[in-house]
Amino acid sequence: MHYLVLALVLLLAVAITLMIARLSPLPIPLPLLQIAAGTLLGSCFGVEISLEPEVFFLLFVPPLLFIAGWRIPKGALFRDIGVIATLAIGLVLFTVVGMGYFIAWLVPIMPLAVAFAVAAILAPTDPVAVSVVHGGSAMPARLEHILAGESLFNDASGLDIFRFAVVAALTGTFSLPHALSGFFWVAAGGVGIGAGVAFACGYTLRWLVRMGGEDATVQVLVSLLVPFAAYIAADNLQVSGILAAASAGIATHYTTLRGMEMSTTRMDRRAVWKTVQAVLDGIIFVLLGEQLVRITTADVSGVRHTGEWTIIFYVLAIFIVLLFLRFVWVWVSLYLADFGRKIESFAAHFLLVSIVTIAGVRGAITLAGAFSLPLLLADGNPLPGRDLALIIAIGVILLSLLLASFALPMLLRRLPQTPHFAAIGDEKVARISAAKAAVNQLVNMREEIERGEKDRDLAFEAVDHLLAIYRRRTALGEDDSEDIIWMRSRVERHYHLAALSAEREQLFELRISRKIDDELHRKLVLEVDLIEASLITRE
């Protein structure tokens, strides 16, 4: 009952922060609101949540990385795989080495192995934090995809290095060749298992659909279970469960390209996963605020020979050096990258590097890694510097969130819009191509009608009506005066939405006055909602 109440309290906190963010006249970043809510729960209401790293990883990391891998544009991912690899692997190694020695020098009570462990959990950016921190800011599509790809894959590299550093701290021994070979085995094994689980589930579902028809509930439920299956399978085989969850999301995208699903399945799954992601994102930041209260009231006093101002200095110094190392690596990486070389202006290049540097926000992965530091050494003595490592990790998370939340929108507004920042594909061309395919299909069906006899006039009328709609779409796309035509389309959409709103209000009035029953009311309102949803997604 205690854990059930805590879960309900966390859900309530997430719901309240979502409402505050929507109603607030000020553009307050949602993560900061949720951290404040967690701080309020811990300080004013005495809420205490024991955070088990294994449970945290299992509940939060697999589904969030799975949906991030599923939604990231695959063409953009493979187009910039070189840049993403240098950031996800090269930058992590560069950060761990640089920050490891710096932390060991800065914090005398922290042994070198522990300092490297702290550097490893500070190195990865977080896909959750990266996606929510810039909110509605107009980040160029290509840049956003690079950041998403980096944060998707650098978790595995950072956490695997972290595990090797923890082993070194506990045993006092470290083998670089063994660590490198172990790292590549763990990564390759995780990718293989994640992809294997996703393809196995996808083809099994396709076979079941052929045998007994499609059930949207089963499809959505299996999609929720796939990331956990991939993570647990990889973890039991001692390979990267994090990469397994991410690669399962990428592979699931390809399984849905063959064997077309019902539209209801896709809409239900999208709605369910959108809710799951919003809830898990919110709970993570609420937990961060609650854990901050626990550590500042208990653990700080347990750090011997270290004053509060000294701890604040440690956090600020480590955060500044972390930014500097990322800035240097990103500058070189983007300068060598193909699209980075196309930026001739020094000011524009500096601005782009600054945006990528500040967008490297730390979040759930850093928090979970910090709490997974062991309490004791192999000989039974406490792990030196563990309490201080927790404070440093949470401090860096908060500073990175604050900096990105307020600096990114200003920097993004100054970034020039250039073609090589755009996403892959032309929306207009894709719409025209789809409309032409629909026209060809309807023309073929019209010929079939001419051979039949039943309801010919009604069928001709229906097909001709649809042909007029689709031919108008192709004409709109191919017309020279594109801006005027698409503006007219947006105006039509505005009036169509207003008409649908009036239609929905009338249906509710009919239900309130009991002129229709609730079953018919739900059916008719759903039809209006689906039409409205199709119009909104085109905006």
Side-chain angles (χ1 to χ4, degrees), residues 205-245:
L205 283 176
R206 190 181 305 172
W207 176 78
L208 292 174
V209 168
R210 287 198 301 267
M211 297 296 294
E214 183 171 340
D215 188 334
T217 303
V218 174
Q219 299 277 339
V220 174
L221 181 59
V222 171
S223 74
L224 291 172
L225 295 175
V226 167
F228 298 102
Y231 182 89
I232 293 173
D235 191 59
N236 287 334
L237 293 175
Q238 298 183 346
V239 295
S240 176
I242 295 172
L243 267 180

Side-chain angles (χ1 to χ4, degrees), residues 461-529:
E461 182 181 352
V463 173
D464 289 342
H465 173 68
L466 292 173
L467 278 171
I469 294 175
Y470 280 108
R471 282 170 174 162
R472 183 168 181 266
R473 289 187 186 178
T474 59
L476 289 178
E478 294 173 346
D479 197 286
D480 293 333
S481 56
E482 178 183 341
D483 293 338
I484 297 176
I485 292 175
W486 287 111
M487 187 179 299
R488 184 188 304 149
S489 176
R490 287 195 296 269
V491 172
E492 290 179 0
R493 188 184 307 127
H494 168 73
Y495 286 109
H496 197 172
L497 288 173
L500 290 171
S501 177
E503 190 175 346
R504 186 188 297 106
E505 289 180 6
Q506 180 62 25
L507 290 173
F508 274 96
E509 287 295 331
L510 292 174
R511 177 67 190 100
I512 292 172
S513 61
R514 299 184 181 180
K515 293 181 179 179
I516 59 174
D517 202 0
D518 56 340
E519 184 176 3
L520 179 58
H521 174 258
R522 282 195 299 267
K523 176 185 175 181
L524 297 178
V525 169
L526 177 60
E527 292 177 1
V528 175
D529 290 342

Side-chain angles (χ1 to χ4, degrees), residues 280-331:
L280 295 182
D281 289 350
I283 289 178
I284 286 173
F285 290 113
V286 172
L287 284 174
L288 175 58
E290 186 274 333
Q291 295 294 317
L292 178 64
V293 174
R294 294 186 63 187
I295 291 178
T296 53
T297 56
D299 288 351
V300 172
S301 59
V303 180
R304 298 179 180 179
H305 313 299
T306 307
E308 293 183 2
W309 288 106
T310 304
I311 294 174
I312 293 174
F313 170 74
Y314 287 164
V315 172
L316 289 174
I318 290 172
F319 178 67
I320 292 172
V321 173
L322 196 64
L323 278 180
F324 174 75
L325 293 178
R326 181 175 175 85
F327 184 90
V328 171
W329 186 273
V330 170
W331 182 284

Side-chain angles (χ1 to χ4, degrees), residues 113-392:
V114 178
F116 269 78
V118 175
I121 61 177
L122 294 178
T125 57
D126 189 80
V128 177
V130 170
S131 63
V132 300
V133 76
H134 63 82
S137 302
M139 179 175 287
R142 188 173 185 180
L143 189 58
E144 187 171 6
H145 299 157
I146 290 174
L147 291 170
E150 176 203 4
S151 61
L152 185 62
F153 292 111
N154 64 9
D155 298 332
S157 56
L159 290 177
D160 290 333
I161 295 172
F162 165 73
R163 289 170 182 168
F164 291 122
V166 169
V167 171
L170 295 177
T171 62
T173 59
F174 178 74
S175 171
L176 182 60
H178 175 72
L180 290 176
S181 62
F183 171 76
F184 287 110
W185 156 248
V186 164
V191 171
I193 290 175
V197 169
F199 280 114
C201 292
Y203 286 113
T204 300
L205 283 176
R206 190 181 305 172
W207 176 78
L208 292 174
V209 168
R210 287 198 301 267
M211 297 296 294
E214 183 171 340
D215 188 334
T217 303
V218 174
Q219 299 277 339
V220 174
L221 181 59
V222 171
S223 74
L224 291 172
L225 295 175
V226 167
F228 298 102
Y231 182 89
I232 293 173
D235 191 59
N236 287 334
L237 293 175
Q238 298 183 346
V239 295
S240 176
I242 295 172
L243 267 180
S247 61
I250 295 175
T252 299
H253 163 76
Y254 291 101
T255 65
T256 59
L257 295 180
R258 303 294 180 183
M260 300 303 292
E261 299 171 320
M262 295 190 304
S263 58
T264 54
T265 299
R266 290 191 295 271
M267 288 189 293
D268 290 348
R269 185 172 55 209
R270 186 181 297 113
V272 169
W273 271 107
K274 183 179 180 181
T275 303
V276 169
Q277 186 178 25
V279 169
L280 295 182
D281 289 350
I283 289 178
I284 286 173
F285 290 113
V286 172
L287 284 174
L288 175 58
E290 186 274 333
Q291 295 294 317
L292 178 64
V293 174
R294 294 186 63 187
I295 291 178
T296 53
T297 56
D299 288 351
V300 172
S301 59
V303 180
R304 298 179 180 179
H305 313 299
T306 307
E308 293 183 2
W309 288 106
T310 304
I311 294 174
I312 293 174
F313 170 74
Y314 287 164
V315 172
L316 289 174
I318 290 172
F319 178 67
I320 292 172
V321 173
L322 196 64
L323 278 180
F324 174 75
L325 293 178
R326 181 175 175 85
F327 184 90
V328 171
W329 186 273
V330 170
W331 182 284
V332 176
S333 299
L334 294 186
Y335 181 79
L336 297 177
D338 178 60
F339 83 99
R341 289 196 298 268
K342 295 178 181 178
I343 303 176
E344 299 179 355
S345 169
F346 175 83
H349 187 80
F350 184 87
L351 180 61
L352 176 63
V353 173
S354 300
I355 290 173
V356 177
T357 300
I358 295 174
V361 183
R362 273 64 182 180
I365 302 300
T366 296
L367 179 65
F371 279 95
S372 64
L373 282 168
L375 295 171
L376 303 174
L377 295 170
D379 57 5
N381 291 321
L383 181 69
R386 183 183 186 275
D387 294 339
L388 190 56
L390 295 177
I391 299 172
I392 291 172

